């Protein structure tokens, strides 16, 4: 278990500002926040003492703007210091920072602005202003002022720089200290609006007390060095990065490295060699594809040695998974291949110092988990929701099952309903969704259980295994229920298939859209003597034949109802920017089905 730092009060009475004060007093000289400047220079770093001073100045600036205790302030910025520091400053005022996804459509932004009754929003620059300015003139929202970070784009709006300057002029230490101490543990720390794969986003209020309780429970299962670094690249509008990138670092006095471009996360890891790394399944898939592509071009003798080392590592992990001590001979062999073969390879990716690796957000493909186990990396898959302040269940180094999402954390109970839906209750489960009038619409049953919408099972050892989202289960015309995630992950086990969507509601069989993996396909094609761009590669008979074999192999492992009868191969990768994925990289099934409606229908028209 990670060392618990000094807690300045009873855990049930702690607030985030109290923890930040502890960090400034006990660890003031340690690095807290680092980011790259736009001029290509190295990292700029603030210590915990400097973070608290900046927070105090910004709090004065936002107070002068008119921000009041208890009101919501909307934030749409990337992973940059202005976002991180503004969040803490508003928290110290007793206001409620609410991050909005940068990919949100105008109608989603309008809904959140209207629903939250926010008067102020802090946005990054021109791209955001185009979506926010119309709301200032509209009668449907209470939005009064925008603060713009990029001064060159601000026009007549208030700039972040001028707000900071005002705060520096007006800051009074006694008023700042008095103000944050009025915050109570049961007060809202933030409201997280769900990303909304369907329907309008729902507001989930999260209190200081629930965040601290979740942090304490996670610290009992996660093994980390003191003051560990964290690469922060997921959106702050997502509960995972809110916990990992803001709240847990304040709780643990750790070091956040802001990665403004998610595409740069691999390069950032290569530079920093972090001791911990969190990635949603799609991130781990893409990293695995990049490594596989690099290995594919190595000489056969070298590839054979790496594969043999991988088998040794997987065997070593298997003993640990069963809770058994690896035999001495295997332990010696593993340490040898780790030092001579695996660690040098991991060092090239910046993963040679990893003490803790994790994933969440969606079921992790088992072949990806086993791929990384071949390097001695055990991805500690976890599961949770915005409504549970993040993690509900987690694997740990002392107790894990590859492919499961672990056991319930302390303070949380779990049971499975008759239809397979997972129910949870406990101290980190929210009370209900925020109403537009500021009240809460209760979401728990009479016994305090929350129906999560996820389907799964609990094994005899207490580990939870996810099946799929209840609302995403496919019901065929024959009345059979099929988990699309199960079928899609089976298809993606072939390295040429990077993404997949399965469709079959109301039909007697399933069809699929398959996306050729942009990392692996060129390397595989080169090995076959095939040259050309990705689109041309996809049309090559050898590639088509390999994809057909991949689908056939997947079907051989699936039952009759789950098998794919026809498919369409695509070359354009799906992403948040083009709308097919949520900001946390989960499939937006309705968007994909609408976008490719003609292609899907054509697969059925062949009957």
């Amino acid at each position: 278990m990670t060392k618990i730092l000094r807690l300045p009060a009873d855990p049930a009475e702690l607030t985030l500002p109290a923890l930040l004060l502890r960090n400034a007093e006990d660890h003031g000289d340690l690095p807290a926040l680092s980011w790259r400047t736009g001029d290509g220079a190295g990292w700029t770093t603030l210590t915990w003492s400097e973070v608290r001073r900046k927070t105090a100045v910004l709090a004065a600036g936002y107070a002068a703007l008119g921000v009041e205790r208890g009101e919501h302030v909307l934030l749409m910025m990337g992973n940059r210091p202005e976002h991180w520091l503004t969040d803490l400053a508003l928290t110290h005022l007793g206001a409620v920072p609410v991050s909005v996804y940068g990919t949100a459509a105008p109608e989603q932004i309008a809904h959140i602005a209207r629903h939250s009754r926010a008067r102020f929003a802090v946005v990054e620059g021109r791209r955001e202003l185009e979506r926010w300015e119309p709301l200032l003139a509209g009668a449907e929202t209470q939005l009064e002022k925008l603060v713009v970070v990029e001064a060159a784009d601000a026009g007549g709006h208030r700039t972040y720089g001028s707000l900071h300057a005002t705060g520096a002029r007006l800051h009074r230490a006694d008023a700042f200290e008095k103000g944050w101490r009025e915050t109570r543990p049961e007060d809202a720390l933030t409201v997280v609006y769900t990303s909304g794969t369907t329907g309008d986003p729902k507001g989930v209020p999260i209190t200081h007390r629930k965040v601290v309780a979740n942090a304490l429970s996670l610290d009992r299962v996660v093994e980390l060095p003191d003051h560990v670094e964290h690469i922060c690249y997921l959106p702050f509008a997502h509960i995972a990065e809110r916990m990992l990138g803001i709240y847990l670092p304040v709780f643990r006095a750790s070091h956040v490295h802001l990665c403004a471009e998610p595409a740069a996360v691999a390069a950032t890891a290569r530079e920093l060699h972090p001791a911990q790394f969190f990635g949603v399944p799609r991130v781990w898939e893409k990293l695995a594809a990049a490594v596989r592509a690099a290995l594919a071009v190595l000489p056969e003798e070298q590839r054979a040695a790496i594969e043999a080392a991988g088998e040794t590592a997987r065997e070593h992990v298997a003993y640990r998974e069963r809770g058994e001590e690896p035999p001495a001979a295997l332990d010696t062999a593993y340490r040898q291949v780790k030092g001579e073969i695996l660690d040098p390879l991991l060092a090239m990716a910046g993963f040679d110092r990893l003490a803790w690796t994790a994933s969440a957000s969606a079921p992790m493909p088992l072949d990806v988990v086993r791929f990384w186990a071949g390097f001695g990396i055990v991805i500690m898959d976890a599961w949770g929701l915005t409504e549970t302040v993040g993690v509900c269940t987690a694997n740990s180094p002392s107790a894990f099952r590859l492919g499961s999402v672990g056991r319930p954390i302390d303070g949380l109970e779990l049971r499975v309903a008759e239809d397979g839906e997972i129910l949870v209750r406990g101290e980190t489960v929210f009370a209900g969704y925020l109403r537009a009038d500021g009240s809460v619409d209760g979401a728990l049953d009479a016994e305090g259980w929350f129906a999560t919408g996820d389907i799964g099972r609990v094994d005899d050892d207490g580990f939870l295994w996810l099946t799929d989202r209840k609302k995403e289960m496919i019901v065929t015309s024959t009345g059979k229920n099929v988990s699309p995630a199960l079928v899609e992950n089976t298809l993606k086990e072939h390295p040429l298939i990077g993404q997949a969507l399965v469709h079959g509601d109301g039909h007697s069989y399933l069809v699929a859209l398959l996306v050729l993996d942009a990392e692996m396909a060129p390397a595989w094609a080169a090995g076959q003597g095939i040259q050309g761009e990705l689109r041309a590669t996809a049309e090559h008979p050898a590639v088509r034949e390999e994809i057909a074999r991949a689908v056939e192999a997947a079907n051989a492992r699936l039952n009759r109802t789950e098998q794919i009868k026809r498919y369409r191969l695509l070359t354009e990768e799906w992403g948040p920017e083009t709308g097919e994925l949520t900001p946390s990289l989960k499939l937006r099934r309705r968007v994909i089905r609408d976008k490719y409606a003609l292609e899907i229908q054509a697969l059925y028209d062949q009957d």
Side-chain angles (χ1 to χ4, degrees):
M1 183 171 67
T2 306
K3 175 184 175 183
I4 298 290
L5 305 179
R6 178 179 70 89
L7 296 181
D10 182 277
E13 299 304 317
L14 280 174
T15 63
L16 206 70
L19 290 168
L20 183 59
L21 174 61
R22 183 275 315 266
N23 291 352
E25 291 177 342
D26 295 2
H27 313 287
D29 294 334
L30 287 175
L33 184 69
S34 295
W35 67 93
R36 286 194 182 282
T37 54
D39 57 10
W43 294 92
T44 299
T45 298
L46 296 177
T47 65
W48 281 110
S49 289
E50 292 168 333
V51 162
R52 193 165 190 271
R53 285 196 292 271
K54 286 266 190 187
T55 297
V57 166
L58 282 170
Y62 281 110
L65 185 69
V67 174
E68 298 177 353
R69 173 171 294 276
E71 75 171 315
H72 299 152
V73 178
L74 305 180
L75 313 177
M76 183 183 274
M77 296 168 275
N79 292 27
R80 54 189 298 162
E82 295 88 351
H83 196 156
W84 201 86
L85 293 167
T86 289
D87 206 286
L88 290 181
L90 293 170
T91 296
H92 279 71
L93 285 178
V96 184
V98 180
S99 292
V100 182
Y101 286 110
T103 55
E107 57 270 20
Q108 291 175 314
I109 297 171
H111 168 77
I112 292 172
R114 183 171 56 252
H115 189 267
S116 66
R117 295 165 293 119
R119 295 188 298 136
F120 306 101
V122 187
V123 302
E124 186 160 327
R126 186 183 309 278
R127 181 173 176 271
E128 291 73 27
L129 276 174
E130 291 174 354
R131 287 172 284 169
W132 286 86
E133 280 185 322
L135 300 180
L136 292 171
E140 293 186 352
T141 75
Q142 299 180 32
L143 201 63
E144 298 174 5
K145 295 179 183 178
L146 300 178
V147 176
V148 183
V149 174
E150 297 291 346
D153 298 335
H157 300 291
R158 185 71 181 272
T159 67
Y160 176 89
S162 69
L163 185 141
H164 186 279
T166 298
R169 188 176 70 254
L170 298 179
H171 166 62
R172 298 293 181 269
D174 55 347
F176 173 72
E177 300 297 344
K178 179 178 182 295
W180 73 259
R181 292 180 189 279
E182 294 177 10
T183 297
R184 301 166 299 171
E186 61 270 23
D187 288 343
L189 175 56
T190 188
V191 172
V192 176
Y193 280 87
T194 58
S195 58
T197 53
T198 59
D200 286 330
K202 294 180 179 180
V204 178
I206 294 173
T207 66
H208 292 258
R209 180 171 289 149
K210 290 188 182 298
V211 164
V212 171
N214 193 264
L216 283 164
S217 294
L218 284 175
D219 239 34
R220 297 186 184 106
V221 297
V222 175
E223 298 179 2
L224 291 172
D226 291 341
H227 312 297
V228 69
E229 60 281 292
H230 168 67
I231 299 176
C232 172
Y233 66 96
L234 292 171
F236 285 126
H238 193 276
I239 186 59
E241 197 64 90
R242 208 145 247 293
M243 285 297 298
L244 291 167
I246 303 177
Y247 304 146
L248 284 171
V250 172
F251 178 79
R252 293 171 173 158
S254 51
H255 184 188
V256 177
H257 285 81
L258 297 174
C259 182
E261 294 295 333
V265 65
T268 304
R270 286 195 297 271
E271 178 185 359
L272 297 179
H273 295 256
Q276 69 164 339
F277 186 80
F278 175 87
V280 294
R282 183 60 184 152
V283 169
W284 284 112
E285 289 172 12
K286 288 185 70 66
L287 290 171
V291 174
R292 283 175 168 140
L295 296 180
V297 300
L298 294 177
E300 184 177 349
E301 182 178 346
Q302 194 172 356
R303 289 202 310 272
I306 293 170
E307 182 55 37
E311 288 303 316
T312 299
R314 276 185 279 269
E315 187 179 356
H316 193 269
V317 168
Y319 273 91
R320 293 164 52 199
E321 184 178 12
R322 295 192 296 267
E324 301 173 5
E325 195 72 25
L330 174 60
D331 196 53
T332 299
Y334 170 65
R335 293 182 187 282
Q336 181 176 350
V337 299
K338 178 174 168 58
E340 295 177 0
I341 299 176
L342 301 179
D343 280 351
L345 289 171
L346 289 173
M348 296 171 64
F351 282 175
D352 51 314
R353 290 183 55 242
L354 285 177
W356 181 76
T357 51
S359 183
S361 180
M364 172 73 87
L366 189 56
D367 75 302
V368 176
V369 178
R370 297 204 179 281
F371 172 82
W372 288 109
F375 288 89
I377 293 176
V378 181
I379 299 174
M380 298 299 170
D381 214 352
W383 168 75
L385 307 97
T386 304
E387 292 88 344
T388 61
V389 195
V391 172
C392 288
T393 65
N395 285 286
S396 71
S398 60
F400 65 90
R401 296 289 185 274
L402 298 182
S404 83
V405 291
R407 292 167 167 164
I409 61 172
D410 287 353
L412 190 135
E413 296 178 80
L414 178 152
R415 69 181 177 89
V416 179
E418 289 186 6
D419 64 355
E421 184 172 8
I422 305 164
L423 310 179
V424 295
R425 70 178 177 186
E427 59 183 339
T428 60
V429 178
F430 82 144
Y433 295 103
L434 190 69
R435 291 193 181 106
D437 64 1
S439 62
V440 171
D441 185 10
L444 312 182
D445 71 11
E447 297 179 344
W449 292 100
F450 173 63
T452 66
D454 281 327
I455 302 292
R457 64 179 177 85
V458 178
D459 67 20
D460 293 339
D461 296 318
F463 289 87
L464 176 64
W465 300 76
L466 290 183
T467 302
D468 215 322
R469 291 290 291 168
K470 186 176 181 178
K471 65 184 179 183
E472 293 179 354
M473 294 290 286
I474 292 171
V475 181
T476 68
S477 61
T478 58
K480 301 291 186 180
N481 291 336
V482 178
S483 162
L486 169 66
V487 180
E488 290 155 1
N489 285 344
T490 304
L491 289 164
K492 290 189 296 180
E493 289 189 13
H494 194 287
L496 283 183
I497 300 175
Q499 295 169 300
L501 178 128
V502 173
H503 180 75
D505 267 318
H507 294 277
S508 60
Y509 58 86
L510 306 184
V511 298
L513 299 174
L514 308 178
V515 181
L516 197 62
D517 192 283
E519 299 273 2
M520 191 61 197
W524 186 93
Q528 305 294 314
I530 302 170
Q531 302 296 328
E533 296 181 351
L534 190 63
R535 189 178 297 275
T537 299
E539 298 298 329
H540 196 281
V543 175
R544 293 282 174 171
E545 290 170 7
E546 186 65 20
I547 294 294
R549 283 192 289 270
V551 174
E552 184 179 358
N555 281 341
R557 296 175 48 202
L558 298 166
N559 67 44
R560 186 180 182 86
T561 305
E562 296 165 339
Q563 292 173 355
I564 298 300
K565 185 172 181 179
R566 299 191 185 96
Y567 60 89
R568 173 74 178 268
L569 185 62
L570 310 172
T571 56
E572 297 296 326
E573 184 173 353
W574 299 328
E577 298 78 12
T578 47
E580 301 92 353
L581 302 186
T582 69
S584 57
L585 306 185
K586 292 185 286 190
L587 292 178
R588 277 199 166 109
R589 297 183 181 277
R590 179 189 294 177
V591 171
I592 298 172
R593 287 195 296 264
D594 289 348
K595 184 174 182 177
Y596 295 95
L598 294 177
E599 289 84 348
I600 292 172
Q601 187 57 47
L603 294 173
Y604 286 108
D605 287 344
Q606 296 176 36
D607 290 341

